[in-house]
Amino acid sequence: MRSKVLEHISSPHDVHALPAEDLPKLCTELRNAILANAAAIGGHLAPNLGVVELTVALHRVFDSPHDKIIFDVSHQCYAHKAITGRAAAYLDPEAFGTVSGFLSPRESEHDLFSIGHTSTSVSLACGLAKARDLAGERYDVVAVIGDGSLSGGLAFEGLDNAAVLGSGIIVIVNDNDQSIAENHGGIYGALAELRATHGATESNIFRALGFGYAYVEAGNDVQALVDALESLRGTDRPVVLHIHTKKGSGFEPAERAPELWHHVGPFNLETGEKRKLIGGDVPAGGYADLTARHLLERMAHDQRIVAITAGMPYVLGFTPERRAQAGSQFVDVGIAEEHAVTYSAALAAGGAKPVFGVYGAFLQRAYDELWHDLCLNSAPATIIDIGASVFGANAETHLNYFDLAMLGGLPNLRVLAPVCLEEYLAMLDWSLDQRERPVVIRMPVGAPASRPELAPANNAVFDTPSYQVVRKGADVAILALGGFFTLGEQVADTLAEHGVQATLVNPRFATELDEPLLRALPERHHTIITLEDGVLEGGWGEKVARFLGASGVRTRCYGIPKGFPDRFDPQELLAGCSITAEDIVTDILGMR
């Protein structure tokens, strides 16, 4: 059924012009459009469904982009995008996927920042409000932040500063009592008390910080939200509007299981059957599933092992049932990667065996803690680096393949890049039992591959950088790290067709060098190439090239150039960088 209201909305001014009685109809059409779009191509479904009424109310009351509206993390920006001139991307099946799933100033003047990470909105709002005041201008600045995002340290820093800004700023706390999974942290008891008393309790964390405060229980009632926002428009002081919403509102499967419907692949809208499992689902037999199974087995015999996640338990395969099974040996710190790293360092110092699972793009938010708390103290914690590949997430806000360049300069840190399941589990077991240093293990991307010929020996140790020579040849040496080892095999096979029997090496150590092996390579090889599934500048390959620089051997490094590609096809990106077996072989043959 075609929309009768939304199809005529091309800007927020059209929302201003609607009769009040049409606002609920617009909300219904937005919700249906978001559902149809997500069913076809996937997306962050449950959080977006929960803020439809809030988004309509915001654009009814405020004058974007003159007034500044900042949505935290972008998990709730779909209705905003539809209202601000991009409705076709949610109404027309042929246009599905033509807009980013995250805020992007390149798309619209109503998207003030590129945003894909959590807890940023209040700090951004503080900066905009200060700039407004310095310029002597008048407009409202509104930050929309979910209760889950309040567990991030940056949110506390922003709130602390906003409260003493001395001028108008509106912070809308969208409280659905849910992060990606359940919330964790002391602030959630305070929010629960506010909800239970409809904002009337004297124990009000926002008032204690210095904010004015208002509460709306009917957070999915568009007119109630319009009325509340109208009363705050033009405020000359910092104020929090706390609204109680339902995550997944209007779609029963998402209301019933918001964690599983937080981020989804395509699904059947009529039956709710998912065609692709991502997000909160843990596909059986995948690396996350196998990691959780392995850790639970180890936990049963070693109470010192602690699995840690930062608001995303599924990345380590810990379903609600497995979280219950692990009990106190599983900890979700909320969306707080900085705390997770420092917490892990102290756990390790106390004799525990922490395993922190995190996407590479979110690990970078804890760089100082990695440097100062983990590495400076040589704390023997394990970090599972997830999705670190060009074949991982492909949004510009979630690029996971910068990890090796980020981690490569940190002292005392060992970074391992397994090729197969056997290597991965052997590295995990070794890291759990060693007490010398922090270890990062790149979880392979894709379906687990069994490669017995690459499997380390039983009780293998990774105490010293030692590369594995898989094939011995001459003239050309191919050092293919982690996820690009298969590409290295393809290059070696193609070279063999040209009469070149290349040496193929599985480096395994992603930021350190096997110096004895590297010193020996120029004796039999005139060309050495490195392949890494990561950003080229500052990566592992450049370390190899620097080491070999004085040897006179030709060295060529292949990796992803630095930049922010958005919604790319991995194979097309690699082809554009000449990272295909055919292109690499052509390069090698040209260097003979």
Side-chain angles (χ1 to χ4, degrees):
M1 181 189 303
R2 290 188 59 79
S3 168
K4 295 181 180 178
V5 176
L6 180 55
E7 66 184 8
H8 296 110
I9 301 294
S10 60
S11 78
H13 293 294
D14 296 322
V15 180
H16 296 166
L18 284 176
E21 58 268 23
D22 279 352
L23 295 180
K25 180 174 176 56
L26 174 59
C27 293
T28 297
E29 293 180 4
L30 280 165
R31 183 166 279 109
N32 290 340
I34 290 169
L35 279 165
N37 177 280
I41 64 172
H44 285 92
L45 181 62
N48 275 288
L49 293 177
V51 295
V52 169
E53 288 80 11
L54 172 62
T55 307
V56 170
L58 283 166
H59 285 297
R60 175 75 165 188
V61 173
F62 298 102
D63 181 20
S64 177
H66 176 70
D67 293 323
K68 314 302 180 187
I69 304 172
I70 307 118
F71 290 90
D72 202 275
V73 82
S74 295
H75 286 176
Q76 71 287 62
C77 68
Y78 294 179
H80 161 79
K81 289 196 170 198
I83 287 172
T84 54
R86 291 164 279 184
Y90 301 91
L91 291 171
D92 182 358
E94 293 187 1
F96 287 173
T98 57
V99 299
S100 169
F102 302 91
L103 296 168
S104 173
R106 291 189 297 278
E107 284 184 8
S108 172
E109 62 181 346
H110 300 278
D111 296 4
L112 303 179
F113 302 95
S114 292
I115 297 176
H117 292 191
T118 190
S119 310
T120 64
S121 61
V122 181
S123 294
L124 292 170
C126 287
L128 289 175
K130 184 66 173 180
R132 171 199 64 194
D133 296 346
L134 290 172
E137 298 175 342
R138 294 181 62 84
Y139 51 81
D140 282 302
V141 177
V142 184
V144 180
I145 186 167
D147 55 319
S149 294
L150 291 178
S151 60
L154 185 59
F156 285 99
E157 294 175 25
L159 287 168
D160 190 53
N161 183 243
V164 296
L165 197 62
S167 66
I169 186 171
I170 301 168
V171 178
I172 299 174
V173 175
N174 169 37
D175 182 1
N176 55 36
D177 192 25
Q178 187 83 9
S179 182
I180 297 173
E182 67 274 7
N183 283 317
H184 294 276
I187 192 172
Y188 298 108
L191 291 179
E193 186 172 346
L194 285 166
R195 292 195 306 272
T197 62
H198 288 198
T201 179
E202 293 184 4
S203 180
N204 187 313
I205 189 172
F206 302 112
R207 291 192 189 278
L209 280 171
F211 286 91
Y213 177 84
Y215 179 79
V216 175
E217 170 63 22
N220 292 108
D221 181 328
V222 66
Q223 192 57 54
L225 293 169
V226 168
D227 294 342
L229 291 172
E230 285 283 8
S231 71
L232 299 178
R233 187 176 184 186
T235 181
D236 60 358
R237 60 174 297 198
V239 61
V240 164
L241 175 63
H242 179 192
I243 68 172
H244 186 195
T245 62
K246 180 179 286 293
K247 187 170 182 177
S249 177
F251 185 55
E252 194 274 336
E255 290 185 12
R256 187 176 65 250
E259 178 179 347
L260 297 181
W261 289 88
H262 175 85
H263 184 204
V264 298
F267 63 95
N268 185 304
L269 186 55
E270 299 300 322
T271 66
E273 180 182 359
K274 295 181 180 180
R275 299 189 178 99
K276 181 180 180 182
L277 300 181
I278 60 175
D281 297 292
V282 179
Y287 272 106
D289 175 59
L290 295 173
T291 300
R293 292 177 184 274
H294 192 73
L295 287 175
L296 285 168
E297 183 178 340
R298 290 286 311 256
M299 286 175 180
H301 300 93
D302 190 344
Q303 65 181 6
R304 296 171 296 172
I305 296 174
V306 182
I308 303 161
T309 62
M312 304 172 72
Y314 61 85
V315 301
L316 277 185
F318 277 83
T319 60
E321 296 77 17
R322 288 173 176 164
R323 301 197 290 265
Q325 181 181 348
S328 62
Q329 290 180 261
F330 176 83
V331 178
D332 188 330
V333 298
I335 304 175
E337 291 85 359
E338 302 95 326
H339 170 61
V341 170
T342 300
Y343 177 59
S344 296
L347 278 168
K353 299 180 177 182
V355 181
F356 173 39
V358 60
Y359 280 117
F362 301 148
L363 181 61
Q364 68 199 28
R365 304 196 315 168
Y367 189 80
D368 180 66
E369 290 74 19
L370 288 166
W371 191 98
H372 184 270
D373 302 324
L374 199 71
C375 293
L376 182 60
N377 291 286
S378 295
T382 303
I383 296 176
I384 306 296
D385 180 8
I386 297 163
S389 169
V390 70
F391 293 99
N394 69 345
E396 63 181 350
T397 53
H398 287 65
L399 301 176
N400 289 300
Y401 55 73
F402 284 80
D403 57 321
L404 298 186
M406 173 182 72
L407 299 170
L410 293 175
N412 300 332
L413 181 67
R414 178 139 298 154
V415 183
L416 300 173
V419 172
C420 60
L421 179 62
E422 291 88 351
E423 277 193 322
Y424 173 68
L425 294 179
M427 290 171 177
L428 178 54
D429 281 335
W430 168 80
S431 183
L432 284 170
D433 293 332
Q434 63 86 34
R435 304 299 299 170
E436 298 298 319
R437 67 180 73 236
V439 175
V440 172
I441 304 173
R442 267 187 150 200
M443 179 189 286
V445 172
S450 177
R451 299 287 302 268
E453 73 278 13
L454 300 180
N458 290 336
N459 301 315
V461 296
F462 299 88
D463 294 334
T464 303
S466 176
Y467 296 175
Q468 180 185 32
V469 177
V470 180
R471 302 184 196 175
K472 291 184 178 180
D475 297 329
V476 177
I478 304 164
L479 280 61
L481 183 70
F484 274 11
F485 182 77
T486 299
L487 175 62
E489 290 180 307
Q490 294 169 356
V491 172
D493 290 343
T494 306
L495 283 173
E497 295 173 3
H498 292 271
V500 178
Q501 302 301 319
T503 294
L504 177 63
V505 177
N506 170 20
R508 302 187 297 187
F509 293 77
T511 59
E512 300 171 277
L513 304 181
D514 179 349
E515 295 186 2
L517 175 71
L518 292 177
R519 288 192 187 97
L521 286 178
E523 297 176 5
R524 291 175 53 85
H525 306 87
H526 60 69
T527 300
I528 296 173
I529 68 166
T530 67
L531 306 175
E532 63 189 299
D533 191 357
V535 66
L536 186 63
E537 289 85 347
W540 162 79
E542 288 192 349
K543 293 179 173 61
V544 174
R546 184 185 69 244
F547 183 84
L548 293 170
S551 70
V553 67
R554 296 186 184 94
T555 306
R556 176 83 183 260
C557 303
Y558 293 86
I560 315 304
K562 65 181 179 182
F564 294 109
D566 188 31
R567 291 174 287 156
F568 58 86
D569 177 273
Q571 296 292 359
E572 291 179 2
L573 179 65
L574 293 176
C577 303
S578 297
I579 305 178
T580 67
E582 295 76 13
D583 287 337
I584 294 169
V585 167
T586 298
D587 287 346
I588 291 171
L589 295 177
M591 290 189 284
R592 297 176 70 179

